[in-house]
Amino acid sequence: MSWDDERVREHVRHLEGLLERLDPAAEPAVRALAELYGEALGRVVRLSADTAALTGDELIRHLLLLHGLHPETPETRVRRALGALDGFLGEHRTSVEFAGIEDGTLRLTAAAAGRTAPPRPVLEAVERAVRAAAPEVARVDIAAPAPEPVLITLDQLRSRV
């Protein structure tokens, strides 16, 4: 059986629907099966000479993340996700930098041209991307500068009166 990524996504959606309707008494069996598959996947990772090939596959990457087996650190994955957004961020004249991960909180700094806060949709896109890259992170804090105060001189005020 060889599925493309779209078929995998469809199957995951279907599986999620089945799990929502599952009899609670079956949960221990499902959990035990998932743990067994997780252990098998861990062995595959340990035996694989090319973990980049494993992490390059969308389904395998998600399973590695689900089981806590991804060979790359969350920081590496977040930095890669931010790098993939370079074109999008450039279009919005926005920069985002990794500031650290501490106690389950990912910290980023973001600024738009003119040192203003980026538009909310841009920040939401950044958050979606980094959460997908590092789902084990509990919170994402994006610090953005407050708008710089505008200095209006007395001469400017007088000229408007």
Side-chain angles (χ1 to χ4, degrees):
M1 176 177 358
S2 182
W3 295 351
D4 64 12
D5 288 342
E6 187 54 39
R7 173 87 191 272
V8 169
R9 288 185 204 105
E10 287 175 22
H11 193 75
V12 168
R13 284 190 292 274
H14 175 70
L15 181 59
E16 287 171 343
L18 292 173
L19 289 173
E20 288 173 2
R21 296 186 305 273
L22 189 67
D23 182 339
E27 184 178 333
V30 172
R31 187 174 310 280
L33 183 61
E35 289 171 353
L36 179 64
Y37 278 106
E39 175 58 26
L41 186 58
R43 291 179 184 192
V44 168
V45 171
R46 286 190 296 277
L47 294 172
S48 177
D50 186 6
T51 57
L54 294 176
T55 60
D57 180 276
E58 183 179 357
L59 175 60
I60 295 173
R61 181 175 55 251
H62 286 292
L63 288 173
L64 292 172
L65 289 168
L66 175 71
H67 291 284
L69 297 169
H70 201 289
E72 297 176 328
T73 66
E75 177 179 348
T76 299
R77 290 181 270 128
V78 166
R79 287 182 184 277
R80 182 177 302 112
L82 292 175
L85 290 175
D86 278 347
F88 170 77
L89 294 172
E91 290 173 12
H92 293 279
R93 301 178 62 199
T94 299
S95 65
V96 178
E97 294 186 18
F98 177 84
I101 299 175
E102 188 175 316
D103 298 327
T105 298
L106 167 62
R107 293 185 329 279
L108 303 171
T109 56
R115 296 187 37 145
T116 62
R120 170 88 354 235
V122 173
L123 295 178
E124 289 170 352
V126 168
E127 183 168 351
R128 279 192 307 274
V130 297
R131 282 192 181 279
E136 68 270 38
V137 171
R139 273 185 48 170
V140 176
D141 285 342
I142 305 175
E148 290 188 8
V150 177
L151 179 62
I152 301 175
T153 65
L154 286 175
D155 291 335
Q156 288 173 323
L157 284 175
R158 287 183 187 130
S159 70
R160 292 184 184 181
V161 179

